[in-house]
Amino acid sequence: NCWNAVQEIAKYAHEVDKNHPTSTVTAGLDSTVLQEIIKRTSDIDVYCVNTYGDIANVPKNIEKFGWTGAYMITEWGPNGYWESPNTAWKVSIEQTSTEKKQVYYDRYTNYIAPFPKCLGSYSFLWGAKQEYTETWFGLFSKENLPTEPIDALEMVYSAKNPALASPKVLDMTINGKKAIDNIKLKADEKYPASVLAKIGINMTETADDADRKLRYEWKILAESTDKKSGGDAEEAAQEIGGLIQGRTKKDITFRAPHKEGAYRLFVTIYLNGKVGYANIPFWVDKRTETDGQAQFVEFKKLGMKKEEEE
């Protein structure tokens, strides 16, 4: 019934306006759905697909599933949170801005540009949006600054490197561990975190004088509790303030939040009016009586050592 209705609308559109093509779009590429479109919507001129991690399969599967006309990729970008690796406490691990930059570049170059029947595409999202995290899909920051992946789009559209370089995130750790390491911290205890960033020249090269020019900003957010589906509006995650020492440096020390639960440590790196970013999810375990006793013993040892030195 859905596709019969789409056909009625498309047919009417052709009757009243013969100068514009019609299109319809699906979220993902499903053979059964596409067969219904082919069978029931003869007045659809351009088939459109929204796709993320599966974009590599779209060119071959569109033809395999029987669509012989023109098509467009009407929404694409980094891996979605639904197709990303999870922590042990079931939250998705987000790609860094540098990883996303490579994804945008590769996906356009390999799966959009080479195919004549693909008329074009819309990269998602030309703006900032809270969706799973505050940085997952937005090509701009909350302050409306262009993020690193926009450099990749500029490169594929113009075949030139950007005139102004953006920050490039090479590594980020908490207590020496990466996001995939299921980082668990103890409430109220202090931990180190660091980020390694450079000035990105193109897709493969970086400048060595990054420390002199880059500006850093760190923050801790509680894991979002207002996660929706289908792009519905979400409330911003709560920032937990007062926990970070040296929040504008590349290496920081922070105190784990007091309340047990899931959090993320975010870093934003600024250069030339552009931003790079990364975040690491971590879990906070509440303190136990044993933890308190251990800390007391440690303090006592330090006190005795100080007395001996004096």
Side-chain angles (χ1 to χ4, degrees):
N1 288 335
C2 169
W3 302 115
N4 289 339
V6 168
Q7 166 58 19
E8 290 179 9
I9 297 167
K11 182 178 179 181
Y12 176 75
H14 278 153
E15 290 172 355
V16 299
D17 181 357
K18 300 184 184 301
N19 296 319
H20 292 85
T22 59
S23 67
T24 193
V25 61
T26 60
L29 182 57
D30 180 272
S31 60
T32 303
V33 173
L34 187 52
Q35 288 301 313
E36 288 293 306
I37 293 173
I38 294 169
K39 177 182 177 181
R40 300 180 184 277
T41 64
S42 58
D43 277 272
I44 289 296
D45 301 307
V46 183
Y47 173 55
C48 302
V49 184
N50 296 351
T51 183
Y52 288 84
D54 194 49
I55 191 172
N57 295 314
V58 168
K60 63 181 180 182
N61 282 343
I62 277 188
E63 183 176 351
K64 178 181 177 181
F65 297 161
W67 183 263
T68 58
Y71 68 92
M72 294 185 72
I73 308 297
T74 40
E75 186 176 314
W76 65 280
N79 289 349
Y81 51 83
W82 59 91
E83 52 196 1
S84 298
N86 284 347
T87 65
W89 52 97
K90 306 300 181 184
V91 301
S92 298
I93 297 172
E94 182 178 353
Q95 295 168 308
T96 68
S97 61
T98 300
E99 290 169 333
K100 292 178 187 178
K101 176 183 176 181
Q102 190 69 51
V103 164
Y104 275 98
Y105 185 88
D106 290 345
R107 289 178 178 173
Y108 185 88
T109 302
N110 296 329
Y111 310 121
I112 296 173
F115 297 93
K117 290 185 179 180
C118 182
L119 302 184
S121 67
Y122 294 87
S123 51
F124 190 79
L125 167 83
W126 198 251
K129 185 185 184 186
Q130 165 69 37
E131 187 169 351
Y132 204 90
T133 74
E134 63 179 27
T135 54
W136 203 292
F137 294 107
L139 287 167
F140 287 81
S141 69
K142 291 174 67 176
E143 309 100 318
N144 205 34
L145 296 175
T147 67
E148 188 182 2
I150 290 181
D151 285 2
L153 294 176
E154 183 177 348
M155 292 165 73
V156 297
Y157 290 147
S158 70
K160 297 178 181 178
N161 291 330
L164 295 174
S166 63
K168 190 181 184 77
V169 183
L170 303 181
D171 194 24
M172 178 184 176
T173 59
I174 294 177
N175 205 25
K177 297 181 179 180
K178 300 179 184 294
I180 60 172
D181 293 328
N182 291 314
I183 300 171
K184 292 192 175 184
L185 309 179
K186 190 68 67 173
D188 300 321
E189 289 196 11
K190 289 185 176 181
Y191 297 92
S194 64
V195 63
L196 176 61
K198 294 286 186 180
I199 299 172
I201 299 175
N202 52 36
M203 293 304 297
T204 59
E205 297 179 8
T206 61
D208 292 328
D209 59 349
D211 291 345
R212 184 168 54 85
K213 297 180 179 180
L214 298 179
R215 181 169 63 87
Y216 304 85
E217 184 175 310
W218 297 78
K219 61 183 176 182
I220 294 173
L221 299 182
E223 184 70 26
S224 171
T225 57
D226 189 39
K227 293 170 181 172
K228 304 287 180 61
S229 61
D232 290 350
E234 298 178 5
E235 293 290 333
Q238 178 188 3
E239 182 173 357
I240 314 298
L243 299 176
I244 300 175
Q245 296 176 350
R247 61 181 296 168
T248 59
K249 299 178 180 179
K250 67 176 184 177
D251 301 309
I252 64 166
T253 298
F254 71 96
R255 188 181 297 278
H258 178 73
K259 185 178 179 181
E260 182 180 29
Y263 300 85
R264 288 180 190 256
L265 178 64
F266 285 77
V267 62
T268 304
I269 305 148
Y270 297 85
L271 176 73
N272 293 330
K274 299 180 176 182
V275 300
Y277 59 82
N279 73 74
I280 292 182
F282 64 92
W283 180 269
V284 171
D285 286 322
K286 62 183 179 181
R287 298 187 65 79
T288 65
E289 187 176 331
T290 304
D291 295 322
Q293 291 173 351
Q295 190 176 51
F296 175 76
V297 170
E298 186 65 27
F299 285 153
K300 189 173 181 180
K301 287 180 179 178
L302 289 172
M304 293 171 62
K305 183 178 179 181
K306 187 175 180 181
E307 288 179 2
E308 290 173 358
E309 291 173 351
E310 291 175 348

